[in-house]
Structures are given as structure tokens and as C-alpha cells.
Amino acid sequence: MSENILEVNRLVTEFNTENGHVKAVNDVSFQIKRKEIVGIVGESGSGKSVTSLSIMRLIPKPPGKISSGEILYYSDHENKFVDLTKVSENEMRQYRGNEISMIFQEPMTSLNPVFTCGDQVVEAILLHRKVSKSEAKSLTLELFEKVKLPNPERIFSSYPHQLSGGQKQRVMIAMAMSCKPKILIADEPTTALDVTVQKTILELIAELSEETGMSTIFITHDLGVIAEIADRVIVMYKGKIVEQGKVLDIFENPQHPYTKGLLACRPPLDIRLKQLPVINDFMEVGDEGKLIEKEASVAKAIRERIVNEAETKERYNRLIQQTPILEVKNIQTWFPSKTNIFGKTTEYVKAVDNVSFDVYPGETLGLVGESGCGKTTLGRSILRLIEPTGGEVFFEGKNIRDYNSDELKKLRKDMQIIFQDPYSSLNPRMTVGNAILEPMRVHQLYDNDQQRKEKVIELLEKVSMLPEHFNRYPHEFSGGQRQRICIARALGLNPRFIICDESVSALDVSVQAQVLNLLIQLREEFKFTYIFISHDLSVVKFMSDRMIVMNKGQIEEAGVADDIYHHPQREYTQKLISAIPKGRLEDIRSRLQNN
């Protein structure tokens, strides 16, 4: 029996595009041992997901194909290595699902919305195992219990839209585990999840690996997550492996500048920085795509940006001596959940329940909490994108709850929002230049469209985009670039107050660092006031002067961001902080010793 269960040798996967052949995976080689958890890390476009799809033989043809290399899987019942690139599609179906399973990034698109969750897992079991339908149901309920889903019977008969993101991901894990695979590929399974849910999913995958003896390939863009789960790390950049090794070695002494950049651009928790280091601090791309390392260490890059405690206190004292720009008083937003036979509401979901706070000019106030805590509803209620049920919102001393539609339209110029998903925020049929220009036209800013176009180009350059991007469409840009376009659109009306609603949660950590730095730079330049909403407490701590922790529609804890992190008073806040992947060497050592 081989010690390695998978050997990938000189794999090349390419796609035929308008710009010619693109090698998404270029000469990649690595091995996976039995019972081992290997993390593959890199930014979007690094080739990590295409590598996993190549192993599963799920590359769409056309435009893609595995053009060379071997994917050798050790089949225990055949007692030999099988090259998965050479088996027929029918033979591959025997390995896919049975021997090698995959959890995809977005569970909502992986689950069929018209079938119950239980029926979908039963179908997978019946497809691969010779059991009756009633046995398949029993196995499904066992799996739901194993992946710690509450009330397995209820989940069995629930549809995907009736479950939370974390519950849907557990259903996907149950489906992937249903045939007792030898290898589990988890492709960004925790990217859009709360830190608390993420922690339970990571623990669950580690437990199942230990219990069943399967090997796991865990794909992510976040090295902090890798530190929580992996034995070894493979770092990918533009289709190639630039570094691989034991997890402790990579964190303790990274060799490649790209790895150093990925480690440095995560918001640190123990110190406050003026700006986050980014990949470009460690390397640049020279002629013919050659990487040139800059003379910079992670420690030096961080040390140069540290804000001392006195500066933080001075800024805080200066902010709170001003008259608040926004005063939220006893705001309530309730949604009807039950009605009687006469249509009268008998029960409400209290999404926001009696919340009060002030925001000062030039301040960033962080709103943090798990999904469903009410933070997004609160942000939209303040702007009256959702009508509150009760309470008052004063902007610059005027109660905007009393505004009529014309007054509200004028207010939109001063109060803007940057949404979580930049792609759904932009009209796919409108060029990005026109998307930024249109609100200026609506609010009759500047004399004519030529002046507006000049302003749009100025804004694009301000957010590190190019003038020629004016005539391109949203689909032609990456997620980070689209978010920059949305920021430029928000800036176009010269607002004084901006709500950032989970505006970096779906971005790579490296792109996230660039966008966060941009938001801070713009705040200093234009004296903006922000409410920054996120489920990621490390990001909120980096961005915010003060922080509000929300839970079940109410304020759980509020205060200076650093104080809340270092001295949390409430158990809920402590739970949020303990769930953050910290990537500390002592934590990695402790985890490896206990395994």
C-alpha cells in the first residue's frame, strides 16, 4: 500500500479564450499522504480551484482541457495507482463521489432549490451505494447528526432556502461524506461564513478526517484559515506553485515574497496599523512576468505602520468632542412572521429592536455580529432603504424619519451605501463609466455630461483604476476592481456619510487589504464618516474608532474598538473573538502537538 494516496505530476490545464490559450494550471506537482490535510492557498486566479476541478475531471470542455501531466490516485481495491487523466468518463464516475468527493464554495448554487436537503443526500447515496431507499434515509439522518445539524428530521424535509449558510454547508459536507471518500476536496467552504460558523466547519472537517482516515485538500485564499486546519501548505500564484512545506515552516519562515505578502496583509489583532501591508510591498512583476522580490520583511512592513496608543486616544478624544453627525434613537425594524385568519399580524421578527447610538464627523463606527444579528437591517433602516417600525434617526440635527420622498432623494446625495456584492450592485448592461455618471446626472451635479465624464475619470484614478476602464462592462473586472468601481460611484455625489455593508467580505485577503487601505485614505482626504458593517471582527477592529457588537437585533456591547477586543465584557463578544483565525505560531504548535 502506498503512503501517498494522490500524486499530481507536472499538471497543465489550459483554457481557450479570446486572448489565446491560458494555462490556468501550469506544471503543478504535489503529493497527498493518507490522513493528511493539505491547504492550497492563493488569490483568485492563482489556479487553486482549477487544480481541484482537474483532479475531479470537472473541467468544462470546451473551452478547457487537461493538456498534459498525471493525476495518480491510489485505488485500494485495485491495489495500484490509476491515472485519472486517462480513464474514461464512465470509469471516472466510479471514483468521483465514491472515492474522491468535493465541497464547493457556494452551497446555495450546489444544492437544487426544488428538492429537500434530505432527498438530495439520499439521491447521492443511492447513486453510489447498493442500499434501499429507507436505508439511504437512515444513513442521511446519521450523517446530519454527525455534521452536527440541529434537528436532523427537520433539516431532512427542509429546502435549501430555509437553512442558514452554515447549515447549507453542513448539508454539502454530509453529501460529500455519504460514500466514505478517501479524499475530500473542500473548495473555499468557509469564505462567506461568519467566523463562529467558520470555526465549527473547520473543526468538523478536522474531526471527520481524523475519524474516517480520509485525506483532505482544503482550498482558501486566507492563510489564517490554513493555520487552523492544515498539516502542509501549497502556495499558488498565477497557475504555479511558488512555495510548499509544513504549515509551521511556512508561517515561521516564509521564503517566497508572495507568501510573505499573503501573511502580512491580514489585519493584525494585537496592534493598530495606519495601513495594511499589501502584496506589492514584497514583490513586483518585471519584464515577461518575472517576479522581482523587494527588500522587505513581514515584521518591518508591519512595524513601519504601527499607530501608538497615544495617537489612538488623541484621535478618539478629538472625535467625541464634536456634535454627532448621526443620532440613532430607539430604532426598531420588525418584520411580520405570523398572521391570523383575518390577516392581522400576531408575531414579528424583531430584526432591530430598540437600538440607540451616535456617530461623530470623521469617525468610523464598526457594526459587528453574526448573520441574522440585525446589522445590515440597521444600516438600511438608517438610510430608509427599509422603513423602520419605530424610533428616530437624526442626520445633522434633522429627523430623516419625517422626510418626504423629494427630501429623501436630496438626502441620498449626502448619505451613500456600498453593498456587499459589487456584481449585483452594478447594471451588467451599463458601462462602469455610465454607472458612476448616472447618479451625478440624477442629482444635477456639474453643468453637462462632458464635465461629469471628466469627474468620473478622476474618480476612477482615485480608486486606482484606469481612464480606459470608463467604457468597459462589470463582467470584465475582478471582484476587487468591481468593489473599487462601487466605491467610485459612492464618491461621485460628494457624500458626507457612507455605510459600508460587508463591502470586503467576499474578497481575497490581499484585495481586501487594498480596499480597506483605500477606504481609510479616502476618509482622511475627504473627511468622510463611515459605518462599517462586517461579520469579521479583525477587519472591523482595523477600520473602526469605536465598535458596536450586535446580537439578536440589540446592542450586546459598545465602546472603543481596541478596548472591546482586548477587554470584552460579554460572553458573546468573547466567543466572536475566540473564533477569529489568528495564525499565531504558538497556536499552530499547540494544535500540531495535540494531533
Side-chain angles (χ1 to χ4, degrees), residues 267-277 301-313 315-316 319 364 366 520 523-524 537-547 559-566:
L269 288 159
D270 50 345
I271 51 174
R272 180 171 281 276
L273 301 183
K274 293 183 181 77
Q275 282 201 314
L276 292 170
I302 290 172
R303 193 166 58 244
E304 288 171 350
R305 292 169 167 84
I306 291 175
V307 181
N308 64 48
E309 205 174 316
E311 284 179 85
T312 306
K313 278 185 180 171
R315 174 177 163 80
Y316 173 70
L319 287 170
T364 300
I520 284 181
R523 181 187 71 188
E524 301 310 308
L537 200 140
S538 59
V539 169
V540 171
K541 179 186 172 293
F542 167 71
M543 283 295 294
S544 307
D545 299 293
R546 286 183 304 135
M547 191 192 297
V560 177
D562 289 353
D563 291 350
I564 284 185
Y565 175 73
H566 292 295

Side-chain angles (χ1 to χ4, degrees), residues 160-414:
H161 73 271
Q162 295 174 302
L163 307 184
S164 70
Q167 288 173 334
K168 284 196 283 274
Q169 200 59 283
R170 285 164 199 250
V171 170
M172 288 301 298
I173 293 171
M175 194 184 294
M177 298 298 298
S178 63
C179 296
K180 299 183 178 175
K182 298 287 192 299
I183 300 173
L184 176 69
I185 301 173
D187 185 8
E188 300 264 16
T190 61
T191 297
L193 301 179
D194 300 333
V195 284
T196 47
V197 179
Q198 174 178 270
K199 187 179 183 184
T200 59
I201 296 290
L202 294 177
E203 286 170 351
L204 176 60
I205 290 172
E207 272 173 38
L208 292 171
S209 294
E210 183 65 33
E211 191 182 312
T212 63
M214 71 180 179
S215 304
T216 304
I217 299 173
F218 194 97
I219 296 167
T220 181
H221 61 256
D222 189 348
L223 270 164
V225 172
I226 291 287
E228 300 280 306
I229 192 168
D231 302 309
R232 278 193 307 119
V233 187
I234 295 167
V235 183
M236 291 189 72
Y237 176 73
K238 292 196 172 173
K240 295 193 172 189
I241 292 175
V242 294
E243 187 166 1
Q244 58 179 311
K246 291 179 180 174
V247 66
L248 191 59
D249 295 342
I250 295 287
F251 274 77
E252 206 165 23
N253 188 23
Q255 298 299 305
H256 197 276
Y258 181 66
T259 313
K260 292 175 185 175
L262 283 179
L263 281 166
C265 61
R266 295 171 59 250
L269 288 159
D270 50 345
I271 51 174
R272 180 171 281 276
L273 301 183
K274 293 183 181 77
Q275 282 201 314
L276 292 170
V278 294
I279 301 284
N280 291 345
D281 292 327
F282 298 87
M283 67 180 210
E284 59 189 356
V285 181
D287 297 335
E288 297 175 5
K290 190 180 177 185
L291 295 182
I292 302 162
E293 182 168 2
K294 294 181 180 177
E295 288 298 316
S297 70
V298 175
K300 183 170 179 282
I302 290 172
R303 193 166 58 244
E304 288 171 350
R305 292 169 167 84
I306 291 175
V307 181
N308 64 48
E309 205 174 316
E311 284 179 85
T312 306
K313 278 185 180 171
E314 186 191 334
R315 174 177 163 80
Y316 173 70
N317 290 332
R318 194 171 64 245
L319 287 170
I320 61 168
Q321 283 166 9
Q322 304 174 92
T323 303
I325 189 171
L326 183 81
E327 298 165 86
V328 176
K329 297 186 176 179
N330 307 111
I331 198 86
Q332 293 177 327
T333 307
W334 297 1
F335 297 107
S337 61
K338 272 190 183 176
T339 54
N340 61 21
I341 56 169
F342 303 109
K344 188 178 178 183
T345 303
T346 55
E347 278 184 33
Y348 290 91
V349 172
K350 298 180 179 181
V352 177
D353 193 20
N354 205 29
V355 167
S356 301
F357 59 89
D358 295 338
V359 188
Y360 297 93
E363 179 184 26
T364 300
L365 178 74
L367 271 185
V368 70
E370 296 171 290
S371 294
C373 71
K375 57 191 187 297
T376 291
T377 304
L378 174 58
R380 295 183 183 205
S381 300
I382 289 167
L383 296 178
R384 282 185 60 190
L385 295 175
I386 296 173
E387 281 297 336
T389 314
E392 298 172 310
V393 179
F394 291 91
F395 181 70
E396 296 187 322
K398 293 178 182 171
N399 187 359
I400 64 176
R401 289 288 318 279
D402 298 334
Y403 280 20
N404 60 34
S405 57
D406 286 340
E407 290 171 316
L408 208 51
K409 183 181 167 183
K410 286 177 188 169
L411 182 72
R412 297 275 176 251
K413 193 169 83 66
D414 295 322

